Amino acid sequence: MDLDTYLRRFEAYTNSIGATPDEIPNLLINSLDDETLQYIERHLVDNITLNELLAVLRREMGIGRANREDFKAKLRKTLRGRNEDVRSFYAKLWTLAKKAWPDNVEVRDSNLRDCFIANIQDSSISARLRERGELNNENLLNLASTLLSCKNASLSRQSEVNATFGLPTAYDEALNVEPPSRSLPAQSLENKLDQVIEMLACRGTQGQSNATPYPPPAHDNDYYYTDDEPISPGLDDFETDYDGPITYPDQELDTPLDWTVPTWY
C-alpha cells in the first residue's frame, strides 16, 4: 500500500464528511486493512493524536531511514519498459523519489531528474534532455513526451512505406555491392609471375637469335651434314695415289697409307 496516496484519499474523505480533529484518528484506524493494523497495533494507545498515528504508520510501513535507502536503490534501478508510456514511467519514479526523500524537495527533484534521463532507455532522447538544463522536471517531462511521439510517428511512417513497397530484396542489395578488390599479396604474386614469364620469353628470343644453324666441327676432319648431304672439308681437293703418298693441297704425307684389309680370326 502506498501510504501517502492512501492518506491523501483519507484526507479528502474526512473533509467531505466534516470530521472533527478528535474523530480523525479513530476514523483512520477503522479504515486500515488487517495487515496494516497488525503492524501498528502494539503502538496504539488511548487518545492517540493524528500526528502520533501518522508517525507510527510511516515508521512501520517503510518510511523510516533504513527503508529510504531501499527506495533510493529501487529508484536508480527502475527502467522504462519497451512500450511503456513516458508519463507513467515518470510517475513511478516520482513515487519512489518521494519515499526516498520525503523531507528534502530539492534533493528529491534532482535525483528524480537524473534517474528519469538515464533510465528512459533511449540514448538519443536522453542526450537531447541533458542539453535542456534550464527546464524544470515537468517541462522536461513534456519535452520527452513530445520527442518520443515524434520518433514513434517516424518509425510508424517507415513501417508503412516498407509495407507498401516491400523491404529491399537480395537482388537490390547485390546491385549496391562493390566487386571485391584483390588483396595486396595476391596482386604482388601476380606481378611477380608476369615478370618471370616476361624474363623467360626474353631469354628464349635472345637464344634463338644467337644460335647457329649448324654447330661448328670440333676437328678439321670431322663430318657434318647439311640437307642430308655429307660434306667434309677438302674431299674435292686431295688426290689419291695407290702407289704413292696421299697428297693434299697444302701438305704431303711422309708415309703412305696402308690399304691392306686386316684378316679377322
Side-chain angles (χ1 to χ4, degrees):
M1 180 183 66
D2 187 355
L3 182 61
D4 292 331
T5 302
Y6 179 79
L7 291 177
R8 285 195 296 271
R9 186 183 296 114
F10 177 77
E11 183 180 3
Y13 169 72
T14 56
N15 292 333
S16 64
I17 64 175
T20 63
D22 295 334
E23 297 174 346
I24 291 178
N26 295 325
L27 289 175
L28 180 57
I29 293 173
N30 292 331
S31 62
L32 295 176
D33 57 11
D34 295 340
E35 183 179 1
T36 304
L37 190 60
Q38 290 177 1
Y39 280 105
I40 67 171
E41 186 176 6
R42 65 182 185 277
H43 301 290
L44 297 180
V45 294
D46 295 337
N47 300 324
I48 189 172
T49 63
L50 179 61
N51 291 333
E52 293 174 348
L53 181 58
L54 292 178
V56 171
L57 286 172
R58 292 185 183 281
R59 182 175 64 250
E60 297 296 330
M61 296 304 298
I63 313 298
R65 182 181 300 274
N67 290 321
R68 287 180 184 178
E69 297 301 323
D70 185 39
F71 287 128
K72 292 177 184 178
K74 289 181 179 180
L75 176 65
R76 298 186 184 97
K77 295 178 181 179
T78 301
L79 304 177
R80 176 173 167 266
R82 182 177 180 86
N83 298 319
E84 184 178 6
D85 181 68
V86 65
R87 293 189 178 275
S88 62
F89 172 66
Y90 180 85
K92 188 188 303 181
L93 295 181
W94 184 88
T95 302
L96 293 173
K98 186 178 181 180
K99 292 180 180 180
W101 294 278
D103 303 327
N104 195 332
V105 178
E106 183 177 358
V107 175
R108 178 180 63 199
D109 291 344
S110 177
N111 284 272
L112 173 61
R113 181 190 185 93
D114 293 341
C115 292
F116 175 71
I117 294 175
N119 299 343
I120 200 171
Q121 296 295 89
D122 193 306
S123 58
S124 59
I125 293 180
S126 296
R128 294 285 300 275
L129 296 179
R130 288 191 180 94
E131 296 174 354
R132 305 300 301 273
E134 74 279 4
L135 300 180
N136 58 24
N137 287 358
E138 290 298 325
N139 292 332
L140 194 72
L141 172 61
N142 294 332
L143 177 60
S145 179
T146 302
L147 293 175
L148 282 174
S149 298
C150 294
K151 183 175 181 179
N152 292 334
S154 177
L155 294 177
S156 177
R157 177 59 180 169
Q158 184 63 36
S159 299
E160 293 177 359
V161 171
N162 292 338
T164 303
F165 297 98
L167 295 174
T169 62
Y171 176 76
D172 297 332
E173 296 178 355
L175 295 178
N176 299 326
V177 175
E178 297 181 356
S181 58
R182 293 177 296 181
S183 59
L184 292 178
Q187 293 179 357
S188 61
L189 180 59
E190 290 186 0
N191 293 335
K192 291 181 180 180
L193 289 175
D194 293 338
Q195 293 176 2
V196 171
I197 294 173
E198 184 178 357
M199 181 176 62
L200 292 176
C202 292
R203 287 188 177 181
T205 304
Q206 294 176 359
Q208 292 177 2
S209 61
N210 296 333
T212 57
Y214 306 105
H219 303 285
D220 293 339
N221 296 331
D222 289 342
Y223 291 91
Y224 60 92
Y225 294 87
T226 302
D227 297 334
D228 296 335
E229 295 181 2
I231 300 176
S232 61
L235 286 179
D236 297 335
D237 299 332
F238 71 87
E239 297 178 357
T240 303
D241 188 0
Y242 294 100
D243 296 332
I246 298 176
T247 61
Y248 288 86
D250 300 328
Q251 182 182 6
E252 181 177 355
L253 295 178
D254 296 336
T255 58
L257 294 176
D258 187 3
W259 293 94
T260 304
V261 177
T263 303
W264 299 94
Y265 298 95

